[in-house]
Short mmCIF file of all heavy atoms in Angstrom, two decimals:
data_model
loop_
_atom_site.label_atom_id
_atom_site.label_comp_id
_atom_site.label_asym_id
_atom_site.label_seq_id
_atom_site.Cartn_x
_atom_site.Cartn_y
_atom_site.Cartn_z
N MET A 1 9.68 3.04 9.23
CA MET A 1 9.15 3.84 10.31
C MET A 1 7.95 4.66 9.82
O MET A 1 7.04 4.92 10.58
CB MET A 1 10.24 4.74 10.86
CG MET A 1 9.82 5.43 12.13
SD MET A 1 9.32 4.27 13.38
CE MET A 1 10.43 4.66 14.66
N ALA A 2 7.98 5.06 8.56
CA ALA A 2 6.86 5.83 8.02
C ALA A 2 5.59 4.97 7.98
O ALA A 2 4.50 5.48 8.25
CB ALA A 2 7.20 6.33 6.62
N LEU A 3 5.74 3.69 7.67
CA LEU A 3 4.59 2.79 7.67
C LEU A 3 3.99 2.68 9.07
O LEU A 3 2.76 2.70 9.24
CB LEU A 3 4.99 1.40 7.16
CG LEU A 3 3.90 0.35 7.15
CD1 LEU A 3 2.80 0.75 6.19
CD2 LEU A 3 4.49 -0.99 6.77
N PHE A 4 4.84 2.59 10.08
CA PHE A 4 4.38 2.52 11.47
C PHE A 4 3.57 3.76 11.83
O PHE A 4 2.47 3.66 12.38
CB PHE A 4 5.59 2.37 12.40
CG PHE A 4 5.23 2.40 13.85
CD1 PHE A 4 4.63 1.31 14.45
CD2 PHE A 4 5.49 3.51 14.63
CE1 PHE A 4 4.29 1.33 15.78
CE2 PHE A 4 5.16 3.54 15.96
CZ PHE A 4 4.56 2.44 16.54
N LEU A 5 4.09 4.93 11.52
CA LEU A 5 3.38 6.17 11.85
C LEU A 5 2.07 6.29 11.07
O LEU A 5 1.06 6.75 11.62
CB LEU A 5 4.28 7.37 11.57
CG LEU A 5 5.52 7.47 12.47
CD1 LEU A 5 6.40 8.62 12.02
CD2 LEU A 5 5.12 7.62 13.91
N PHE A 6 2.08 5.89 9.81
CA PHE A 6 0.87 5.93 9.00
C PHE A 6 -0.21 5.03 9.60
O PHE A 6 -1.38 5.42 9.71
CB PHE A 6 1.18 5.51 7.56
CG PHE A 6 -0.04 5.40 6.70
CD1 PHE A 6 -0.72 6.53 6.30
CD2 PHE A 6 -0.51 4.16 6.31
CE1 PHE A 6 -1.86 6.43 5.51
CE2 PHE A 6 -1.64 4.04 5.53
CZ PHE A 6 -2.31 5.18 5.12
N LEU A 7 0.16 3.82 10.02
CA LEU A 7 -0.81 2.90 10.59
C LEU A 7 -1.33 3.38 11.94
O LEU A 7 -2.48 3.15 12.29
CB LEU A 7 -0.21 1.50 10.70
CG LEU A 7 -0.02 0.78 9.37
CD1 LEU A 7 0.68 -0.55 9.57
CD2 LEU A 7 -1.35 0.58 8.66
N ILE A 8 -0.48 4.06 12.71
CA ILE A 8 -0.94 4.65 13.97
C ILE A 8 -1.99 5.72 13.70
O ILE A 8 -3.03 5.78 14.37
CB ILE A 8 0.25 5.26 14.75
CG1 ILE A 8 1.18 4.17 15.26
CG2 ILE A 8 -0.23 6.12 15.91
CD1 ILE A 8 0.59 3.30 16.34
N ILE A 9 -1.76 6.56 12.70
CA ILE A 9 -2.72 7.60 12.36
C ILE A 9 -4.02 6.98 11.87
O ILE A 9 -5.12 7.42 12.25
CB ILE A 9 -2.12 8.56 11.32
CG1 ILE A 9 -0.99 9.37 11.94
CG2 ILE A 9 -3.18 9.49 10.75
CD1 ILE A 9 -0.18 10.17 10.96
N VAL A 10 -3.94 5.95 11.04
CA VAL A 10 -5.14 5.27 10.55
C VAL A 10 -5.93 4.68 11.72
O VAL A 10 -7.16 4.80 11.77
CB VAL A 10 -4.77 4.18 9.52
CG1 VAL A 10 -5.95 3.27 9.23
CG2 VAL A 10 -4.24 4.81 8.25
N ALA A 11 -5.24 4.05 12.66
CA ALA A 11 -5.92 3.46 13.81
C ALA A 11 -6.61 4.52 14.64
O ALA A 11 -7.75 4.33 15.10
CB ALA A 11 -4.91 2.68 14.66
N LEU A 12 -5.96 5.65 14.84
CA LEU A 12 -6.57 6.73 15.63
C LEU A 12 -7.80 7.30 14.93
O LEU A 12 -8.83 7.54 15.57
CB LEU A 12 -5.55 7.83 15.90
CG LEU A 12 -4.45 7.48 16.88
CD1 LEU A 12 -3.43 8.61 16.95
CD2 LEU A 12 -5.03 7.22 18.25
N VAL A 13 -7.71 7.51 13.62
CA VAL A 13 -8.84 8.06 12.88
C VAL A 13 -10.02 7.09 12.90
O VAL A 13 -11.17 7.49 13.14
CB VAL A 13 -8.43 8.40 11.43
CG1 VAL A 13 -9.63 8.70 10.57
CG2 VAL A 13 -7.46 9.57 11.43
N LEU A 14 -9.76 5.81 12.66
CA LEU A 14 -10.84 4.82 12.70
C LEU A 14 -11.46 4.74 14.09
O LEU A 14 -12.68 4.62 14.23
CB LEU A 14 -10.32 3.45 12.28
CG LEU A 14 -10.04 3.25 10.80
CD1 LEU A 14 -9.41 1.89 10.56
CD2 LEU A 14 -11.28 3.42 9.98
N GLY A 15 -10.63 4.81 15.12
CA GLY A 15 -11.15 4.78 16.48
C GLY A 15 -12.01 5.98 16.79
O GLY A 15 -13.08 5.86 17.40
N LEU A 16 -11.57 7.16 16.37
CA LEU A 16 -12.36 8.37 16.62
C LEU A 16 -13.70 8.33 15.88
O LEU A 16 -14.74 8.69 16.44
CB LEU A 16 -11.58 9.61 16.20
CG LEU A 16 -10.46 10.02 17.15
CD1 LEU A 16 -9.66 11.17 16.55
CD2 LEU A 16 -11.02 10.42 18.49
N ILE A 17 -13.69 7.89 14.64
CA ILE A 17 -14.93 7.79 13.88
C ILE A 17 -15.86 6.76 14.53
O ILE A 17 -17.07 6.97 14.64
CB ILE A 17 -14.65 7.44 12.41
CG1 ILE A 17 -13.93 8.59 11.72
CG2 ILE A 17 -15.94 7.09 11.68
CD1 ILE A 17 -13.45 8.26 10.33
N GLY A 18 -15.28 5.66 15.00
CA GLY A 18 -16.08 4.62 15.64
C GLY A 18 -16.72 5.09 16.93
O GLY A 18 -17.83 4.68 17.27
N VAL A 19 -16.05 5.96 17.67
CA VAL A 19 -16.59 6.46 18.93
C VAL A 19 -17.64 7.54 18.68
O VAL A 19 -18.69 7.57 19.32
CB VAL A 19 -15.45 7.01 19.83
CG1 VAL A 19 -15.99 7.79 20.99
CG2 VAL A 19 -14.58 5.87 20.31
N VAL A 20 -17.37 8.44 17.75
CA VAL A 20 -18.24 9.59 17.53
C VAL A 20 -19.53 9.20 16.80
O VAL A 20 -20.62 9.62 17.19
CB VAL A 20 -17.49 10.68 16.74
CG1 VAL A 20 -18.41 11.81 16.34
CG2 VAL A 20 -16.33 11.22 17.58
N ALA A 21 -19.43 8.40 15.75
CA ALA A 21 -20.59 8.06 14.94
C ALA A 21 -21.35 6.90 15.58
O ALA A 21 -20.76 5.89 15.95
CB ALA A 21 -20.16 7.69 13.54
N GLU A 22 -22.65 7.06 15.67
CA GLU A 22 -23.47 5.98 16.22
C GLU A 22 -23.59 4.85 15.20
O GLU A 22 -23.75 5.09 14.01
CB GLU A 22 -24.85 6.50 16.55
CG GLU A 22 -24.87 7.43 17.74
CD GLU A 22 -26.29 7.83 18.09
OE1 GLU A 22 -27.20 7.01 17.89
OE2 GLU A 22 -26.44 8.96 18.56
N GLY A 23 -23.52 3.63 15.68
CA GLY A 23 -23.68 2.48 14.81
C GLY A 23 -22.42 2.07 14.07
O GLY A 23 -22.45 1.17 13.25
N LEU A 24 -21.31 2.77 14.32
CA LEU A 24 -20.06 2.41 13.64
C LEU A 24 -19.02 1.91 14.64
O LEU A 24 -17.83 2.20 14.53
CB LEU A 24 -19.52 3.61 12.87
CG LEU A 24 -20.38 4.09 11.69
CD1 LEU A 24 -19.75 5.30 11.05
CD2 LEU A 24 -20.55 2.99 10.68
N MET A 25 -19.48 1.16 15.62
CA MET A 25 -18.57 0.63 16.64
C MET A 25 -17.54 -0.32 16.02
O MET A 25 -16.44 -0.46 16.53
CB MET A 25 -19.37 -0.07 17.73
CG MET A 25 -18.53 -0.50 18.92
SD MET A 25 -17.73 0.88 19.76
CE MET A 25 -19.06 1.45 20.75
N PHE A 26 -17.90 -0.93 14.90
CA PHE A 26 -16.96 -1.85 14.25
C PHE A 26 -15.70 -1.10 13.79
O PHE A 26 -14.62 -1.69 13.74
CB PHE A 26 -17.61 -2.59 13.08
CG PHE A 26 -17.97 -1.72 11.91
CD1 PHE A 26 -17.08 -1.56 10.87
CD2 PHE A 26 -19.19 -1.06 11.86
CE1 PHE A 26 -17.42 -0.78 9.77
CE2 PHE A 26 -19.53 -0.28 10.78
CZ PHE A 26 -18.63 -0.12 9.74
N LEU A 27 -15.81 0.20 13.49
CA LEU A 27 -14.62 0.96 13.12
C LEU A 27 -13.68 1.12 14.30
O LEU A 27 -12.46 1.12 14.14
CB LEU A 27 -15.00 2.34 12.56
CG LEU A 27 -15.60 2.34 11.17
CD1 LEU A 27 -15.96 3.75 10.76
CD2 LEU A 27 -14.65 1.73 10.17
N LEU A 28 -14.24 1.27 15.50
CA LEU A 28 -13.40 1.32 16.70
C LEU A 28 -12.66 0.01 16.88
O LEU A 28 -11.46 0.00 17.17
CB LEU A 28 -14.26 1.63 17.92
CG LEU A 28 -13.54 1.60 19.27
CD1 LEU A 28 -12.46 2.67 19.32
CD2 LEU A 28 -14.52 1.77 20.40
N ILE A 29 -13.34 -1.09 16.68
CA ILE A 29 -12.71 -2.41 16.82
C ILE A 29 -11.62 -2.59 15.77
O ILE A 29 -10.53 -3.08 16.07
CB ILE A 29 -13.78 -3.51 16.75
CG1 ILE A 29 -14.71 -3.40 17.95
CG2 ILE A 29 -13.13 -4.89 16.69
CD1 ILE A 29 -15.95 -4.25 17.86
N ILE A 30 -11.89 -2.18 14.53
CA ILE A 30 -10.89 -2.28 13.48
C ILE A 30 -9.68 -1.40 13.81
O ILE A 30 -8.53 -1.81 13.61
CB ILE A 30 -11.49 -1.90 12.11
CG1 ILE A 30 -12.49 -2.96 11.67
CG2 ILE A 30 -10.40 -1.74 11.05
CD1 ILE A 30 -13.28 -2.58 10.44
N GLY A 31 -9.92 -0.21 14.35
CA GLY A 31 -8.83 0.67 14.74
C GLY A 31 -7.96 0.06 15.82
O GLY A 31 -6.73 0.15 15.79
N ILE A 32 -8.59 -0.59 16.80
CA ILE A 32 -7.82 -1.24 17.87
C ILE A 32 -7.01 -2.39 17.31
O ILE A 32 -5.84 -2.57 17.68
CB ILE A 32 -8.79 -1.72 18.98
CG1 ILE A 32 -9.38 -0.51 19.70
CG2 ILE A 32 -8.08 -2.63 19.96
CD1 ILE A 32 -10.51 -0.84 20.65
N VAL A 33 -7.59 -3.17 16.41
CA VAL A 33 -6.87 -4.30 15.81
C VAL A 33 -5.67 -3.80 15.00
O VAL A 33 -4.57 -4.35 15.09
CB VAL A 33 -7.82 -5.15 14.94
CG1 VAL A 33 -7.05 -6.15 14.09
CG2 VAL A 33 -8.83 -5.85 15.81
N VAL A 34 -5.86 -2.73 14.23
CA VAL A 34 -4.76 -2.17 13.44
C VAL A 34 -3.66 -1.67 14.37
O VAL A 34 -2.47 -1.89 14.11
CB VAL A 34 -5.27 -1.03 12.53
CG1 VAL A 34 -4.12 -0.24 11.93
CG2 VAL A 34 -6.14 -1.59 11.43
N LEU A 35 -4.02 -1.03 15.47
CA LEU A 35 -3.03 -0.54 16.43
C LEU A 35 -2.23 -1.68 17.04
O LEU A 35 -0.99 -1.63 17.10
CB LEU A 35 -3.72 0.27 17.52
CG LEU A 35 -2.82 0.85 18.59
CD1 LEU A 35 -1.89 1.89 17.99
CD2 LEU A 35 -3.63 1.44 19.71
N VAL A 36 -2.91 -2.72 17.46
CA VAL A 36 -2.22 -3.87 18.08
C VAL A 36 -1.30 -4.55 17.07
O VAL A 36 -0.14 -4.88 17.38
CB VAL A 36 -3.25 -4.87 18.65
CG1 VAL A 36 -2.60 -6.18 19.03
CG2 VAL A 36 -3.96 -4.25 19.85
N LEU A 37 -1.78 -4.76 15.85
CA LEU A 37 -0.95 -5.40 14.82
C LEU A 37 0.26 -4.54 14.48
O LEU A 37 1.36 -5.07 14.25
CB LEU A 37 -1.77 -5.68 13.57
CG LEU A 37 -2.80 -6.79 13.69
CD1 LEU A 37 -3.61 -6.89 12.41
CD2 LEU A 37 -2.15 -8.11 14.02
N ASP A 38 0.08 -3.23 14.48
CA ASP A 38 1.18 -2.32 14.17
C ASP A 38 2.25 -2.37 15.25
O ASP A 38 3.44 -2.41 14.95
CB ASP A 38 0.63 -0.91 14.01
CG ASP A 38 1.65 0.04 13.44
OD1 ASP A 38 2.50 -0.40 12.65
OD2 ASP A 38 1.59 1.23 13.78
N VAL A 39 1.84 -2.39 16.50
CA VAL A 39 2.81 -2.48 17.60
C VAL A 39 3.55 -3.82 17.57
O VAL A 39 4.76 -3.88 17.78
CB VAL A 39 2.11 -2.24 18.95
CG1 VAL A 39 3.03 -2.57 20.11
CG2 VAL A 39 1.62 -0.80 19.04
N LEU A 40 2.83 -4.90 17.28
CA LEU A 40 3.48 -6.20 17.16
C LEU A 40 4.46 -6.23 16.00
O LEU A 40 5.55 -6.80 16.09
CB LEU A 40 2.43 -7.30 16.99
CG LEU A 40 1.59 -7.62 18.21
CD1 LEU A 40 0.50 -8.62 17.85
CD2 LEU A 40 2.44 -8.13 19.34
N PHE A 41 4.08 -5.63 14.88
CA PHE A 41 4.95 -5.56 13.71
C PHE A 41 6.23 -4.80 14.03
O PHE A 41 7.33 -5.22 13.66
CB PHE A 41 4.20 -4.89 12.56
CG PHE A 41 5.03 -4.66 11.33
CD1 PHE A 41 5.45 -5.73 10.55
CD2 PHE A 41 5.39 -3.38 10.96
CE1 PHE A 41 6.21 -5.52 9.42
CE2 PHE A 41 6.15 -3.16 9.83
CZ PHE A 41 6.56 -4.23 9.06
N LEU A 42 6.10 -3.68 14.73
CA LEU A 42 7.28 -2.90 15.10
C LEU A 42 8.18 -3.70 16.05
O LEU A 42 9.40 -3.71 15.89
CB LEU A 42 6.87 -1.58 15.76
CG LEU A 42 8.03 -0.68 16.16
CD1 LEU A 42 8.75 -0.16 14.92
CD2 LEU A 42 7.55 0.46 17.02
N GLY A 43 7.59 -4.38 17.01
CA GLY A 43 8.37 -5.20 17.93
C GLY A 43 9.09 -6.34 17.22
O GLY A 43 10.23 -6.66 17.52
N PHE A 44 8.42 -6.94 16.25
CA PHE A 44 9.03 -8.03 15.48
C PHE A 44 10.21 -7.52 14.67
O PHE A 44 11.26 -8.16 14.62
CB PHE A 44 7.97 -8.66 14.56
CG PHE A 44 8.51 -9.76 13.70
CD1 PHE A 44 8.86 -10.97 14.26
CD2 PHE A 44 8.67 -9.58 12.35
CE1 PHE A 44 9.36 -12.00 13.47
CE2 PHE A 44 9.16 -10.59 11.55
CZ PHE A 44 9.51 -11.80 12.11
N ARG A 45 10.06 -6.35 14.05
CA ARG A 45 11.16 -5.79 13.25
C ARG A 45 12.35 -5.43 14.13
O ARG A 45 13.49 -5.64 13.74
CB ARG A 45 10.69 -4.55 12.50
CG ARG A 45 9.85 -4.90 11.30
CD ARG A 45 9.56 -3.71 10.46
NE ARG A 45 10.77 -2.99 10.13
CZ ARG A 45 10.80 -1.81 9.53
NH1 ARG A 45 9.69 -1.22 9.23
NH2 ARG A 45 11.93 -1.22 9.25
N ARG A 46 12.10 -4.88 15.30
CA ARG A 46 13.20 -4.50 16.18
C ARG A 46 13.92 -5.71 16.74
O ARG A 46 15.11 -5.69 16.96
CB ARG A 46 12.69 -3.62 17.31
CG ARG A 46 12.35 -2.26 16.83
CD ARG A 46 12.17 -1.32 17.96
NE ARG A 46 11.83 -0.01 17.43
CZ ARG A 46 12.18 1.10 17.99
NH1 ARG A 46 12.85 1.08 19.11
NH2 ARG A 46 11.84 2.25 17.45
N SER A 47 13.19 -6.80 17.01
CA SER A 47 13.82 -7.98 17.58
C SER A 47 14.69 -8.68 16.54
O SER A 47 15.69 -9.30 16.89
CB SER A 47 12.76 -8.95 18.12
OG SER A 47 12.02 -9.51 17.07
N ARG A 48 14.33 -8.59 15.27
CA ARG A 48 15.13 -9.23 14.22
C ARG A 48 16.41 -8.47 13.94
O ARG A 48 17.39 -9.06 13.49
CB ARG A 48 14.32 -9.34 12.93
CG ARG A 48 13.24 -10.40 13.06
CD ARG A 48 12.61 -10.70 11.75
NE ARG A 48 13.63 -11.07 10.77
CZ ARG A 48 13.40 -11.20 9.49
NH1 ARG A 48 12.19 -10.98 9.03
NH2 ARG A 48 14.35 -11.53 8.65
N ARG A 49 16.44 -7.17 14.17
CA ARG A 49 17.64 -6.39 13.88
C ARG A 49 18.76 -6.66 14.85
O ARG A 49 19.93 -6.49 14.52
CB ARG A 49 17.31 -4.90 13.94
CG ARG A 49 16.57 -4.42 12.74
CD ARG A 49 16.46 -2.94 12.76
NE ARG A 49 15.62 -2.49 11.65
CZ ARG A 49 15.20 -1.27 11.50
NH1 ARG A 49 15.51 -0.36 12.40
NH2 ARG A 49 14.47 -0.94 10.47
N GLY A 50 18.45 -7.08 16.06
CA GLY A 50 19.46 -7.28 17.07
C GLY A 50 20.32 -8.53 16.88
O GLY A 50 21.38 -8.64 17.45
N ARG A 51 19.86 -9.45 16.07
CA ARG A 51 20.60 -10.70 15.88
C ARG A 51 21.54 -10.61 14.68
O ARG A 51 21.14 -10.16 13.61
CB ARG A 51 19.61 -11.85 15.65
CG ARG A 51 18.71 -12.07 16.83
CD ARG A 51 17.77 -13.19 16.55
NE ARG A 51 16.81 -13.32 17.65
CZ ARG A 51 15.64 -13.88 17.55
NH1 ARG A 51 15.26 -14.39 16.40
NH2 ARG A 51 14.84 -13.94 18.57
N PRO A 52 22.75 -11.06 14.83
CA PRO A 52 23.66 -11.06 13.68
C PRO A 52 23.30 -12.15 12.68
O PRO A 52 22.74 -13.18 13.04
CB PRO A 52 25.03 -11.34 14.30
CG PRO A 52 24.72 -12.05 15.59
CD PRO A 52 23.38 -11.52 16.04
N LEU A 53 23.62 -11.91 11.43
CA LEU A 53 23.36 -12.90 10.39
C LEU A 53 24.38 -14.02 10.47
O LEU A 53 25.55 -13.81 10.78
CB LEU A 53 23.43 -12.24 9.01
CG LEU A 53 22.36 -11.20 8.73
CD1 LEU A 53 22.64 -10.55 7.39
CD2 LEU A 53 20.99 -11.85 8.71
N ARG A 54 23.96 -15.23 10.14
CA ARG A 54 24.88 -16.36 10.19
C ARG A 54 25.43 -16.67 8.82
O ARG A 54 24.87 -16.57 7.84
CB ARG A 54 24.16 -17.59 10.71
CG ARG A 54 23.78 -17.43 12.14
CD ARG A 54 23.17 -18.70 12.62
NE ARG A 54 22.76 -18.50 14.00
CZ ARG A 54 22.49 -19.46 14.82
NH1 ARG A 54 22.56 -20.70 14.42
NH2 ARG A 54 22.11 -19.21 16.02
#
């Protein structure tokens, strides 16, 4: 869970820098990609926990 929160903070910081600084729009895009991957990672981890081991 700490990794999830850390990646959320990184995505927000990159997004803010990308919006505020001119010419650094790629940081906004990287922040969005990190956010999406982080949410997918969390969903994948939660879906695997619900299944019993065989």
Side-chain angles (χ1 to χ4, degrees):
M1 190 57 121
L3 178 64
F4 176 75
L5 294 175
F6 174 72
L7 289 175
I8 291 292
I9 292 170
V10 168
L12 289 174
V13 168
L14 286 175
L16 285 174
I17 293 172
V19 168
V20 172
E22 289 185 32
L24 294 178
M25 187 61 81
F26 68 93
L27 286 179
L28 175 63
I29 295 169
I30 291 172
I32 291 170
V33 169
V34 168
L35 180 66
V36 168
L37 289 176
D38 191 32
V39 170
L40 289 174
F41 175 70
L42 181 67
F44 178 71
R45 284 189 52 189
R46 287 194 180 212
S47 68
R48 288 191 54 190
R49 285 188 185 171
R51 298 180 185 158
L53 295 175
R54 293 184 182 197

